[in-house]
Structures are given as C-alpha cells and as structure tokens.
Amino acid sequence: MTERVITLKSFFEEARAGRLTGIRCTGCGALAVPPREFCPTCQHRGWEPVPLSGAGKITSFTVIRIPPRARAPEAPYAVAVVKLDEGVSMLGRLVDIPLDTLKTGLPVKFRTLVAEGQTAIAFGPA
Ligand SMILES: [Zn+2]
C-alpha cells in the first residue's frame, strides 16, 4: 500500500492556491484538517488527501480587540471555529464580514490570507 504524505507545508501551499485539502485516516476514516501526524481517533498514521469545498458555518467566534503586538494594526478582528460541510471543524480568521453581524450558524467560505509571506486560513462571506 502506498501512502501519500500531506505535510503542513504542502497544506499551506495548496491553501495559498485557494484549495483547501483535508486528510482522511486510512485506518478509521476520520477526517482531519489541517494535517497531523497521527489520527486523533485511532492513532493510525496513514492518510489520504481529500479536497474540501471550503463551505461551512460558524460554530463559535471570538473578537480579538487586544492582539499580539505584530497584529495590533489589524485589531479588532474575529477568529472563528467553522464547521465545514464535510463535518470537520477548523479555526480561521474572519475577513470581510462586519463584526457586528457575526453570529453562530452564519455561512462562510474558505479563503486564504497572505500577509508578510505567511499564509493563514481565513473565512469570508459565503
Ligand atoms: Zn483513524
């Protein structure tokens, strides 16, 4: 059996190109994103890449008003846990959504945020 390795580096390279890729455990079928070494469900270490739609809904969110110094000019901004349509949840920055309209259940869509050469996971209006 061949196992393809999706590293965090290739995950972010894909993300920068606008593609969100999860991984599915070849042991128990659990879906994970971003990639990790061992399956949190069964401790198996074999994954296959799964393209994700990037569509989901906000499960919870926090408005950051006093950020780390490097991000001070961006404050206030929101960070949310988004449950993707595929059933897996991930953390991301919220962009282009007025903070006072944020609520749980709001549909959002994956996008990338590239700042100073770093690619970050973000979600914008669906
Ligand atoms: Zn597993």
Side-chain angles (χ1 to χ4, degrees):
M1 186 174 80
T2 56
E3 287 180 349
R4 288 174 62 191
V5 178
I6 298 289
T7 61
L8 263 185
K9 183 167 177 283
S10 64
F11 170 78
F12 280 105
E13 284 168 359
E14 287 284 297
R16 189 180 294 216
R19 291 185 294 269
L20 187 61
T21 308
I23 51 178
R24 189 178 296 284
C25 175
T26 56
C28 72
L31 194 61
V33 61
R36 58 201 73 189
E37 190 170 3
F38 293 98
C39 175
T41 305
C42 73
Q43 308 303 313
H44 185 72
R45 191 180 174 177
W47 301 98
E48 57 184 11
V50 180
L52 300 171
S53 68
K57 290 190 171 73
I58 293 175
T59 306
S60 66
F61 64 90
T62 305
V63 177
I64 310 289
R65 297 184 190 281
I66 306 176
R69 187 178 301 183
R71 297 193 182 279
E74 302 163 44
Y77 61 87
V79 174
V81 176
V82 172
K83 186 169 188 182
L84 299 175
D85 288 353
E86 289 83 358
V88 67
S89 294
M90 65 185 303
L91 191 67
R93 269 282 288 276
L94 295 175
V95 292
D96 297 337
I97 304 174
L99 295 178
D100 60 1
T101 65
L102 289 175
K103 58 183 184 207
T104 57
L106 190 73
V108 290
K109 179 95 179 152
F110 163 76
R111 63 170 72 178
T112 44
L113 197 62
V114 180
E116 294 170 11
Q118 299 272 15
T119 304
I121 301 304
F123 290 90

